[in-house]
Amino acid sequence: MQKILRDSLIITSISVLIMLALPILNYIPIIRDFAASISDFSITDIGMKAVQEEMFQSADTNIVLVNIKNSSISTIESAINIAKSANAKVIGVNLEGISEQDDKNFLINEFNADNHIIFGDENNMIMGKNANKSAHNNTINPNRKHSTTRYYSKAYISDSQSYIPKILMLASDNKVNQYRQLLDRNIDKEVINYRGNYKKYYYYSAGDLEMAEIDSNSFAGKIVLLGEIETLPNRGNLRNLYFTPLNENPSGRTIPDMSKTEIEANILSMVMNLDYIDQTPTYFIVIISILGVFANCLIFYLIIDWNAIAYEIFSLALFLIESFALVLITIHAKHNLHYELNLSLLLLSWAIGLLCFEVYNESFKPILKLILDKRRK
């Protein structure tokens, strides 16, 4: 047994060294491109849309979305005033869809004195909430438009100054206790727990607000988000859309499915309802990966002691069973327990461990034994 423990420890150490050296492969262009092509896929995306639709069947009545696509500045101004007069708790305006800087400046100057209105733009500009508060709109990195938006950052650094995102400023104004609990989580990047697209919130177009009388209860005490939203069935300008885990196709995606304003609404809904997805600590993943390799080595040696021929069958079968079980556990944890396991490193360590076990026992040990035997002679 002592020999088995020793060899298992050696194989585990070799496996760890190989995993530590893997990042070097990123310097090889073909491998870097291949890794980038598969990095966006997540096994938990499978079935995610159906699960979320079942979980969030009703709309979040705390958030109102107002679509300002193709709206004039006067229409947008009118929509903001309607939300104000209806006693909206806080109003967030996404200025990215407004092309003229003069129009942006007009809105900012018009409402800047109002502490309940926050503006955000893609150019990291300090806007709204007067000079004492600043907000950035880069919660979602524009360089990631071709990959799935799974996380958002709690802070943004520019010119050595830290700004909180516009959406979190909205949260801090609306429900202070929830905002404090968010900060207490002490996580730089949160997993977004998606509720759904604009259909999962109260929704109006800015033009409709001008044409119809709106019940004051539609806005009273609520968070109102104004921004460009591409509506179904024809999503229109795809440049304004991002991929999310709720995409119809979990792999091979071609059409993005959600606008930035919709994603911000999902983040706010998660914060307001304290409906977070917890993440596995990195140190835990590393520890369990090392222990997993060591445990598999012990099992392989026990199988060899029992029947050396059976090892060829059972070793591969064990790896397949473990991998399949890990996939099921990962999906179950994300969909039903709101916990992201991030155990891809464990799966990789098992594969590397199996390879190292074969090389160590079939090549390294026989060669080492041959060298030692020659020296003894």
Side-chain angles (χ1 to χ4, degrees):
M1 189 62 184
Q2 186 175 1
K3 182 181 177 182
I4 290 177
L5 290 173
R6 181 202 65 195
D7 287 346
S8 297
L9 184 60
I10 293 174
I11 295 171
T12 301
S13 300
I14 296 173
S15 301
V16 170
L17 291 174
I18 291 176
M19 286 189 289
L20 290 174
L22 284 179
I24 298 175
L25 297 178
N26 280 328
Y27 290 99
I28 303 175
I30 189 171
I31 294 179
R32 183 176 62 247
D33 293 342
F34 174 74
S37 67
I38 65 173
S39 62
D40 188 50
F41 175 75
S42 175
I43 194 69
T44 56
D45 289 351
I46 298 175
M48 175 65 78
K49 183 176 176 63
V51 170
Q52 296 303 89
E53 287 181 350
E54 177 68 23
M55 185 178 302
F56 300 114
Q57 295 185 7
S58 59
D60 187 337
T61 58
N62 294 313
I63 300 174
V64 180
L65 301 182
V66 178
N67 191 356
I68 62 174
K69 181 183 177 183
N70 298 327
S71 297
S72 65
I73 291 301
S74 61
T75 301
I76 298 173
E77 179 189 11
S78 175
I80 296 174
N81 281 320
I82 290 172
K84 278 182 59 180
S85 61
N87 298 316
K89 181 72 174 180
V90 61
I91 301 170
V93 184
N94 188 343
L95 298 175
E96 291 186 29
I98 302 174
S99 58
E100 297 296 329
Q101 186 61 44
D102 288 344
D103 291 337
K104 295 179 182 181
N105 292 336
F106 169 78
L107 290 175
I108 295 166
N109 294 329
E110 184 74 14
F111 297 103
N112 196 40
D114 194 315
N115 288 332
H116 298 292
I117 300 177
I118 300 169
F119 294 94
D121 193 30
E122 61 186 345
N123 298 320
N124 311 330
M125 299 171 64
I126 300 175
M127 296 183 152
K129 301 294 290 185
N130 59 58
N132 296 321
K133 270 195 174 182
S134 54
H136 77 83
N137 216 37
N138 278 7
T139 305
I140 306 155
N141 189 340
N143 295 326
R144 299 283 292 173
K145 272 197 173 185
H146 301 293
S147 59
T148 305
T149 302
R150 306 182 190 278
Y151 306 91
Y152 76 94
S153 302
K154 291 183 181 177
Y156 177 78
I157 307 298
S158 179
D159 299 327
S160 300
Q161 187 173 356
S162 179
Y163 304 117
I164 67 171
K166 180 191 71 177
I167 54 170
L168 296 191
M169 191 178 290
L170 291 166
S172 67
D173 277 1
N174 189 60
K175 290 189 177 181
V176 176
N177 290 335
Q178 279 86 334
Y179 178 66
R180 286 176 179 169
Q181 290 189 48
L182 171 66
L183 297 183
D184 289 342
R185 286 171 60 81
N186 198 29
I187 301 174
D188 292 333
K189 290 175 62 178
E190 288 276 2
V191 181
I192 302 175
N193 188 10
Y194 281 94
R195 170 181 287 268
N197 59 24
Y198 66 94
K199 293 184 177 182
K200 293 296 183 179
Y201 304 91
Y202 284 172
Y203 170 82
Y204 302 97
S205 70
D208 290 340
L209 295 184
E210 279 191 317
M211 301 296 294
E213 292 185 3
I214 302 299
D215 183 358
S216 60
N217 291 327
S218 299
F219 292 111
K222 295 179 173 57
I223 299 175
V224 179
L225 293 178
L226 288 86
E228 284 198 345
I229 300 173
E230 303 293 337
T231 55
L232 295 169
N234 299 316
R235 277 293 198 173
N237 188 358
L238 299 183
R239 293 182 180 180
N240 295 332
L241 298 177
Y242 294 77
F243 293 102
T244 77
L246 301 187
N247 197 286
E248 295 287 350
N249 300 313
S251 63
R253 298 168 180 159
T254 56
I255 301 177
D257 54 290
M258 208 172 287
S259 66
K260 178 176 284 189
T261 302
E262 291 171 284
I263 295 175
E264 290 179 341
N266 278 273
I267 298 171
L268 277 170
S269 181
M270 178 182 71
V271 173
M272 294 299 98
N273 296 307
L274 301 177
D275 200 9
Y276 296 105
I277 294 177
D278 294 316
Q279 303 175 62
T280 310
T282 303
Y283 71 85
F284 177 79
I285 298 173
V286 173
I287 292 174
I288 198 173
S289 298
I290 295 173
L291 293 178
V293 174
F294 185 76
N296 274 353
C297 289
L298 291 178
I299 294 172
F300 293 155
Y301 278 122
L302 291 175
I303 293 175
I304 290 174
D305 284 349
W306 169 62
N307 190 320
I309 298 177
Y311 162 75
E312 300 297 334
I313 299 175
F314 282 103
S315 60
L316 180 59
L318 177 64
F319 174 73
L320 294 176
I321 292 172
E322 288 176 335
S323 302
F324 185 68
L326 187 62
V327 168
L328 293 180
I329 292 171
T330 301
I331 293 175
H332 173 74
K334 180 71 173 289
H335 289 184
N336 302 314
L337 304 178
H338 285 189
Y339 199 93
E340 188 169 79
L341 291 175
N342 292 324
L343 295 182
S344 56
L345 180 62
L346 176 58
L347 185 60
L348 178 63
S349 67
W350 282 345
I352 293 176
L354 178 60
L355 178 62
C356 289
F357 186 90
E358 291 284 346
V359 172
Y360 179 78
N361 287 284
E362 300 298 328
S363 299
F364 180 75
K365 282 185 71 175
I367 293 174
L368 182 62
K369 184 177 182 300
L370 181 63
I371 293 173
L372 293 177
D373 289 343
K374 285 185 177 181
R375 285 190 174 181
R376 291 192 186 101
K377 295 177 180 180

